[in-house]
Amino acid sequence: MQAETLAGLMGLAGAVVGAGGALLGGWLQQQHQAKTAKEQRRDERRYTAGQAALEMLIRFRHASMRRTEDADSALAFSEALVEFVTTFDAALYVVSHGDEMRRRVLGIIGLAAAYMEPSRPNSEDKGWVDTCCKEAVGVLSAFLREEPLPEPSQYFLEQREIARARDRARSEPS
């Protein structure tokens, strides 16, 4: 083969390999950018949903602290509880890997509501709701920081046992 032909074939082969490499590199870069954009959207969704849930939790806490024996206050508290329970799960359902956090926070708020005297709020109930809200804020905050979820605090566990004992005392005939 003549040197000119050989040089031309080598040039053509180099151009084909170069074009293939450029196409492959472009495709890999596009895949990486798509993955990065998806992760960024997930993080934004996580943060936005978490902030909304945190605001709902704070509103619930405030409504429980303002609760008095009058009907308007009881209604406001009931509405805050219903809004929180029905909206919280939906707000965070779009967050990936949030099942354990949702289960824990809804369980904590469920305990808060279960051990309260619906018709007569008292400082013990308000303290219990406040304890539960702080515990739920801790779980939600750790989740938003992408840290492992904290174990229930000793104070929460103690208060939960006190609330359960109080509930048993109320329900057992004397």
Side-chain angles (χ1 to χ4, degrees):
M1 204 179 266
Q2 291 185 342
E4 295 86 22
T5 306
L6 187 58
L9 288 176
M10 289 175 67
L12 179 62
V16 168
V17 169
L23 288 173
L24 179 62
W27 180 79
L28 289 173
Q29 183 178 10
Q30 187 275 335
Q31 292 298 314
H32 177 70
Q33 287 174 344
K35 182 180 175 186
T36 302
K38 184 177 181 179
E39 289 171 358
Q40 185 177 7
R41 284 191 307 274
R42 185 198 73 219
D43 291 345
E44 288 172 3
R45 192 170 45 243
R46 177 186 192 114
Y47 181 78
T48 302
Q51 284 298 106
L54 200 53
E55 288 171 13
M56 281 187 275
L57 185 55
I58 290 168
R59 280 197 311 270
F60 172 69
R61 185 177 179 204
H62 283 241
S64 70
M65 293 300 109
R66 289 191 308 264
R67 196 169 70 122
T68 60
E69 290 187 24
D70 67 13
D72 290 340
S73 176
L75 180 62
F77 174 75
S78 295
E79 288 173 353
L81 179 60
V82 168
E83 176 193 12
F84 180 78
V85 171
T86 58
T87 311
F88 175 82
D89 196 42
L92 288 180
Y93 199 70
V94 298
V95 176
S96 60
H97 310 297
D99 294 339
E100 178 65 15
M101 179 273 306
R102 279 191 303 276
R103 185 190 65 73
R104 292 260 315 266
V105 172
L106 286 173
I108 291 167
I109 297 304
L111 282 172
Y115 296 110
M116 292 173 52
E117 186 68 41
S119 60
R120 256 184 339 103
N122 57 46
S123 61
E124 191 177 314
D125 285 346
K126 289 179 180 181
W128 172 240
V129 171
D130 196 49
T131 297
C132 289
C133 286
K134 287 177 184 176
E135 194 75 18
V137 166
V139 171
L140 183 56
S141 297
F143 178 77
L144 290 174
R145 291 189 306 266
E146 297 185 26
E147 296 174 358
L149 299 182
E151 293 297 319
S153 69
Q154 188 61 36
Y155 181 70
F156 175 75
L157 294 173
E158 291 167 2
Q159 292 301 311
R160 181 178 67 184
E161 288 310 309
I162 290 169
R164 286 179 176 169
R166 187 180 77 180
D167 188 51
R168 281 192 299 272
R170 275 190 226 157
S171 64
E172 293 175 357
S174 340

